[in-house]
Amino acid sequence: MKRSKAAGGRTLRSYMSGYVLALVLTAIPFGIAASGALSLQAALIAISAAAIIQVLIHLRYFLHLRLRTTPPERLLAIAFAAVLILIMIGGSLWIMLNLYYRMWA
């Protein structure tokens, strides 16, 4: 008996697709940083875009979150965690830039 699809779409093919996409999205920023072919601003934008896409790939292929089939309370918990992470990143950048301004400018 062949099991072509497990519950919730968790198949080996799905995991391998996510793994390959994650590898490609990891290699792209390394290539950009190693080659230095892009300007600093373009490189930061490309690396940030690759990071955001990779987060979405992980949510889709490894955590199996889908907008239509996932319960809304689970999506709300993920959104709340994302907001908390953004607040922590923004606060850290604010503190570091403020220290840079006070010490070096």
Side-chain angles (χ1 to χ4, degrees):
M1 183 170 158
K2 183 179 176 183
R3 292 181 57 190
S4 62
K5 190 165 189 168
R10 298 174 187 164
T11 61
L12 181 62
R13 184 176 180 182
S14 172
Y15 284 113
M16 290 307 294
S17 298
Y19 180 70
V20 169
L21 287 172
L23 281 179
V24 168
L25 289 170
T26 301
I28 289 172
F30 276 116
I32 290 172
S35 69
L38 298 177
S39 67
L40 178 63
Q41 186 176 9
L44 288 176
I45 291 171
I47 291 171
S48 298
I52 291 171
I53 293 170
Q54 190 165 16
V55 167
L56 295 176
I57 293 294
H58 282 258
L59 290 174
R60 166 85 163 77
Y61 287 99
F62 300 118
L63 295 178
H64 306 288
L65 292 178
R66 292 181 174 85
L67 292 178
R68 294 186 180 162
T69 58
T70 303
E73 59 270 4
R74 196 168 172 197
L75 291 175
L76 188 62
I78 295 292
F80 181 69
V83 168
L84 287 180
I85 290 170
L86 288 176
I87 289 172
M88 285 191 290
I89 291 171
S92 298
L93 288 174
W94 182 29
I95 290 170
M96 287 189 292
L97 291 175
N98 193 5
L99 286 175
Y100 175 77
Y101 175 75
R102 289 177 186 253
M103 294 178 75
W104 298 103

